Structure formats: structure tokens, C-alpha cells
Amino acid sequence: MASKIAHFPTVRDLSGFDFSAQPSLDPGQIRDLAVCRWIAHGDTLLLLGPPGVGKTPLAIALGREAIREGYSVLFVAAPALVAALGKAHQEGRFEERLAFYAKPKLLIVDELGYLPFDPNAAHLFLPTRQRPL
């Protein structure tokens, strides 16, 4: 049931992850991440790499492990997240929508950097800060 709430686009598990296809990945490090201590400590995990190297399946597999460890998880594509925040902002419900995305203990934001954001809404996800000189 929790996997349905997470909205994973596919089912992926670490047991089926092909580490031989990504020799730069350390299977021991990934198994350590699957224990989810990083979530308990409030840390952030960023999976970086070119398209097609397995970031999404790995994120889903780690999300499923988090569910098994008792954490709430939500998976969302970055463009959909930005669009939802933009719409909520226009409707005066931004804080409510932001609270929705902040509620799960683990929020997996996929496809960050692959598709352009609506310029009128991108600042809601990636705010710029003015720093004094």
C-alpha cells in the first residue's frame, strides 16, 4: 500500500539492480544507503550522472527500501513538482501544496535538470537568494 502512495512509476528493487552495468557504483555503499540511516539523520542524497545510467531505478529501489524501514516516501518528477507548485501559487494555495511535498520523510525528485521548468514557476522550486557583497 505504501508503494502506491509513493507513486513510483515502476517497480524496482536493489536485488534486481545490475551493478555490473555501472562499475563506478560501489554495491557496498548502495547496500549501506538501503539501511536508510541517511534518512534518519535528515541527510540529502543526490544521484548524479548522464541519462540512462540507472539513477531512476536506483532511486526507486532506495525508496522502496525506505518504505520497508517504515519511512513515508513520495516520488515526483521535477517538472510535475514545479508545475504543481506554480499552479498552487496562482491559486493562493502554495503553502498548502508545499506542506504536501514536505510531509513525507523521503521526497524523491526525479528528472531534475532534464526538462526545462516553466520560468514563471521555477523560482518556487529553486529560489535565488540575494547575498550582500
Side-chain angles (χ1 to χ4, degrees):
M1 181 66 171
S3 289
K4 279 189 161 192
I5 294 169
H7 299 284
F8 294 126
T10 60
V11 175
R12 297 285 189 255
D13 289 301
L14 286 179
S15 62
F17 191 80
D18 184 8
F19 287 98
S20 66
Q22 289 305 322
S24 64
L25 277 180
D26 176 358
Q29 183 181 30
I30 300 303
R31 281 191 289 278
D32 186 51
L33 289 170
V35 177
C36 301
R37 283 186 297 268
W38 59 280
I39 299 171
H41 295 137
D43 293 336
T44 300
L45 176 64
L46 185 60
L47 303 176
L48 297 172
V53 297
K55 295 179 303 296
T56 298
L58 186 56
I60 292 169
L62 289 172
R64 290 172 51 88
E65 291 297 324
I67 289 170
R68 285 187 192 99
E69 293 293 324
Y71 294 105
S72 56
V73 177
L74 178 61
F75 180 99
V76 63
L81 172 65
V82 170
L85 291 175
K87 182 178 181 207
H89 187 262
Q90 289 175 341
E91 295 172 352
R93 298 180 308 104
F94 179 73
E95 295 297 327
E96 173 188 331
R97 198 66 189 158
L98 194 59
F100 170 80
Y101 288 115
K103 187 174 183 180
K105 190 69 176 171
L106 174 60
L107 176 64
I108 300 171
V109 182
D110 194 33
E111 300 176 3
L112 189 60
Y114 291 115
L115 299 172
F117 293 147
D118 173 355
N120 296 320
H123 72 280
L124 300 172
F125 180 66
L126 300 167
T128 58
R129 294 185 182 180
Q130 299 293 325
R131 292 209 251 173
L133 296 175

